[in-house]
Amino acid sequence: MKTHLMIKVNSLFLLFALIGLTISGCSDDEKVPDPEIDESQLVVRNLSVISLGDQPDASAVTVVFDAAEDSIQVLFYQIMIQAAETPLDLEKAELLQEDRFLKVQQDQSNYEIILPASLPDTDGNTIEVGRNYQAYVLSISEIDREVKATLSTASNVFQLITYQSLTVEAPSVSDIADLGTPADITVSFNAPINSSYISSFRLFILKQANNIDVTTALSTPATQYLEVTNSQSSYNSKLPGELLDTDGDDIVAGSSYKLAILSMYQVGDTEGAALSPFSGPFVKQAFDPYRVTTILSSFGSNDGLDAIKIGIDGNFYVSNFGRGSAGRQLFQITPEGIKTDFATVTNTPLGLVTAPNGDIFITNENRIDRMETNGTVTPFVEEEINFGGLVMDENQNIYCGNYRHQYILRINVEGLVDTIASHDDLVGTVGIAYHEPSASLFTGNFDSGKIHQVSLDGTVTEIADLTGIGYLTEMNGYLYATLFTEHKIAKVSLTGEDEIIAGTGKNSQKDGPLLLASFDKPNGIIGDAATNTLYMTEWGKPRVTKITLPLE
């Protein structure tokens, strides 16, 4: 028994001795080191930002990233928004107050985090529309009981984008009724604030009683909308004639419609669409044959068109009074709009009249010249006044007024001059018309806008009070006056009842139905009684137009 026990004791002693020898034989330098930490494996991956939401605050921002490769070491992440002009460094990130970052627990492999509306940027400022930002993510890890922070690189640069900033404001619609089809319709709208994210706009016409949402609009066939590429800040887009409404029906005259615009956008990898408010209701107009049409608008910058008459050859003759002392020409313009310099006048030409034999009489300051059909130009009559508008009666007597004098003169075929009327109210007369049945003259006053009837015995009677009349003409028992400063055309009965028959009053130039058309200082005017059509010049931006009126 003792021998056996001794062997066991000796064996234990030997074992402890070996263990001790092994321990005492290892120096500190020979210990196995811990593996080095690879900080790149603690940084989040694929960091990006999508900024799109309902409100212009941080709630419009979605931060997307993948967890760090060594995410098991990460306790949580801190998402921070920094103004893009200054990069964020680790020192600043570690010292941020808690209200300037969003803390996210490490508990998944992929993150898509919508920020709280109240989150400020790293400087404590409100995240605002119109400023560039970048997102950063700080990984907080625990390694060997030590806390370690590692900062990501910056995300893409972004701005706050709201759905509203991608949405077109309510568009406006005009219908010039040229053809009676959708091609008459022009849609006007401005690109929204964040239009750089928009690839195109889709324009939809709906029946007034209908509605549409984004989902329905996106599934609408291409024949039922007009797509306009986004390339500018404002649009005046004309619809195609074959466009259908959103029910797939023809857009017809007399029916009431409204319009909406879909903005097709891409923000980051997110594609979508934003629908505008509806336009106001509009009724598709039928073709209106009574309208204003441009005959010619290609004139020189110094041209100033004045009187217009129709020659026996069917061409128009227009005096170019010019601007300052620029005017010298008498233009001949065909009904198709082909212009030639028919003659040169010594001084600024104003009024003119055409005779039955084709001769043209035109003012030349204090002289009236005769231009014969063979091209010969000769002085016809000269007086110490500057002649104004001219008109001829059935006996080829010429009547004229004058802007600075109070006289109405008559010049017979031999060139003899007599005064038929003198009145203070005639100072400022440029327009003059003759009504054969009553053997009366009618004058239009450029300064006062008044129209007077002047009988051949010299009686002067005021019949209408308008605004600044350029010229005046008589056609089919009515007077027609260009309202130079009002950009309109007035029709006046011989007893003085007046109405506006053309022009919106807007100082611009636009063809179309009479009361939808616009002029730029309408001036000379003459009528073709057989067709009840007026022809007119404009002074502001030189143009010759045709005004087709209903037959009486």
Side-chain angles (χ1 to χ4, degrees):
M1 288 292 290
K2 288 182 180 180
T3 302
H4 182 66
L5 179 60
M6 183 61 72
I7 292 172
K8 286 185 176 182
V9 171
N10 289 339
S11 296
L12 289 171
F13 178 81
L14 180 60
L15 176 61
F16 289 141
L18 289 172
I19 292 171
L21 181 62
T22 301
I23 293 172
S24 62
C26 288
S27 68
D28 290 340
D29 293 338
E30 292 174 335
K31 288 182 181 179
V32 178
D34 293 326
E36 290 186 5
I37 299 169
D38 184 352
E39 292 189 8
S40 66
Q41 295 188 5
L42 301 176
V43 177
V44 301
R45 298 166 294 165
N46 303 321
L47 173 62
S48 64
V49 174
I50 300 170
S51 173
L52 184 62
D54 290 321
Q55 300 298 323
D57 55 40
S59 65
V61 179
T62 300
V63 179
V64 179
F65 60 90
D66 294 333
E69 187 174 350
D70 192 9
S71 60
I72 195 170
Q73 307 282 1
V74 179
L75 300 175
F76 57 88
Y77 302 109
Q78 294 177 190
I79 300 173
M80 301 155 290
I81 304 298
Q82 168 86 356
E85 57 265 25
T86 306
L88 180 65
D89 58 34
L90 179 60
E91 181 180 0
K92 180 177 179 180
E94 288 184 297
L95 296 175
L96 282 181
Q97 299 172 207
E98 288 190 8
D99 63 345
R100 299 186 186 181
F101 61 80
L102 177 64
K103 182 177 179 181
V104 179
Q105 292 297 324
Q106 161 53 41
D107 57 7
Q108 56 198 75
S109 58
N110 307 103
Y111 294 83
E112 189 170 322
I113 308 297
I114 298 175
L115 301 185
S118 59
L119 184 70
D121 66 15
T122 55
D123 293 320
N125 299 319
T126 300
I127 298 173
E128 57 188 20
V129 173
R131 190 171 184 184
N132 291 332
Y133 297 95
Q134 290 177 291
Y136 293 82
V137 177
L138 191 69
S139 302
I140 306 299
S141 308
E142 185 177 11
I143 310 294
D144 287 342
R145 299 183 182 181
E146 292 185 8
V147 175
K148 184 169 187 61
T150 48
L151 185 64
S152 71
T153 55
S155 73
N156 54 296
V157 176
F158 68 92
Q159 290 186 355
L160 287 187
I161 302 171
T162 64
Y163 293 108
Q164 183 177 2
S165 69
L166 297 169
T167 302
V168 173
E169 295 183 1
S172 62
V173 180
S174 61
D175 182 353
I176 60 174
D178 276 330
L179 304 168
T181 74
D184 294 339
I185 297 174
T186 298
V187 181
S188 301
F189 63 96
N190 295 322
I193 297 171
N194 281 319
S195 61
S196 61
Y197 296 95
I198 297 172
S199 59
S200 65
F201 303 99
R202 293 182 182 179
L203 282 57
F204 299 84
I205 302 290
L206 301 82
K207 295 181 179 68
Q208 179 58 31
N210 290 356
N211 282 307
I212 195 171
D213 57 24
V214 170
T215 302
T216 305
L218 288 173
S219 63
T220 299
T223 55
Q224 298 171 26
Y225 62 81
L226 170 65
E227 187 144 17
V228 179
T229 301
N230 179 29
S231 60
Q232 55 202 68
S233 59
S234 61
Y235 295 83
N236 289 290
S237 298
K238 194 171 185 178
L239 301 184
E242 65 277 8
L243 184 69
L244 304 176
D245 69 15
T246 53
D247 290 331
D249 297 329
D250 289 333
I251 298 169
V252 296
S255 294
S256 184
Y257 296 95
K258 58 188 176 185
L259 182 137
I261 299 178
L262 197 66
S263 302
M264 305 299 295
Y265 64 78
Q266 181 168 349
V267 178
D269 294 328
T270 302
E271 294 183 353
L275 189 65
S276 75
F278 295 116
S279 71
F282 65 94
V283 175
K284 177 70 194 80
Q285 301 297 311
F287 173 69
D288 187 349
Y290 309 118
R291 57 194 308 100
V292 174
T293 307
T294 297
I295 294 176
L296 181 65
S297 59
S298 56
F299 291 91
S301 59
N302 285 325
D303 290 343
L305 305 187
D306 226 88
I308 181 171
K309 289 293 190 294
I310 303 173
I312 62 171
D313 55 5
N315 293 317
F316 305 109
Y317 292 87
V318 174
S319 58
N320 179 23
F321 185 83
R323 300 176 191 277
S325 59
R328 293 291 184 270
Q329 296 84 14
L330 174 66
F331 294 133
Q332 181 192 71
I333 301 171
T334 69
E336 295 75 31
I338 299 171
K339 178 189 71 174
T340 56
D341 289 353
F342 183 76
T344 299
V345 182
T346 304
N347 290 302
T348 48
L350 193 79
L352 65 96
V353 69
T354 55
N357 67 351
D359 289 351
I360 297 171
F361 298 85
I362 187 167
T363 63
N364 188 346
E365 282 199 337
N366 61 349
R367 195 174 76 210
I368 296 176
D369 290 337
R370 182 207 303 264
M371 298 181 181
E372 300 179 35
T373 55
N374 62 8
T376 302
V377 179
T378 56
F380 178 60
V381 67
E382 188 166 354
E383 292 286 329
E384 290 301 318
I385 63 172
N386 292 332
F387 292 101
L390 305 180
V391 70
M392 182 177 285
D393 69 13
E394 66 276 14
N395 297 314
Q396 298 187 46
N397 295 307
I398 296 174
Y399 301 89
C400 69
N402 179 269
Y403 183 69
R404 295 185 177 88
H405 299 279
Q406 62 188 35
Y407 310 114
I408 300 297
L409 302 181
R410 175 171 53 197
I411 308 161
N412 69 12
V413 292
E414 284 80 28
L416 298 176
V417 180
D418 68 317
T419 300
I420 66 165
S422 176
H423 195 285
D424 288 344
D425 286 348
L426 297 177
V427 177
T429 293
V430 175
I432 188 167
Y434 176 72
H435 181 240
E436 182 177 345
S438 65
S440 295
L441 296 169
F442 292 87
T443 62
N445 194 296
F446 185 88
D447 288 334
S448 69
K450 293 181 178 181
I451 296 177
H452 293 85
Q453 181 176 6
V454 181
S455 64
L456 299 186
D457 65 6
T459 303
V460 178
T461 306
E462 180 183 325
I463 68 164
D465 189 354
L466 303 175
T467 303
I469 297 171
Y471 278 80
L472 196 67
T473 193
E474 184 275 333
M475 183 175 69
N476 294 326
Y478 288 94
L479 303 173
Y480 294 89
T482 55
L483 305 188
F484 188 89
T485 57
E486 294 292 313
H487 316 293
K488 296 177 181 179
I489 310 301
K491 176 182 179 181
V492 185
S493 73
L494 300 184
T495 54
E497 294 81 9
D498 65 87
E499 62 175 317
I500 300 300
I501 61 161
T504 62
K506 184 178 181 181
N507 183 12
S508 62
Q509 291 180 328
K510 179 182 176 183
D511 289 355
L514 300 176
L515 294 175
L516 297 179
S518 57
F519 309 108
D520 187 356
K521 296 182 175 63
N523 198 14
I525 192 167
I526 192 66
D528 178 1
T531 61
N532 212 39
T533 300
L534 298 170
Y535 298 93
M536 189 190 73
T537 67
E538 289 170 70
W539 170 272
K541 182 179 180 183
R543 181 173 70 145
V544 176
T545 55
K546 173 183 178 180
I547 305 175
T548 307
L549 301 176
L551 292 172
E552 296 294 334

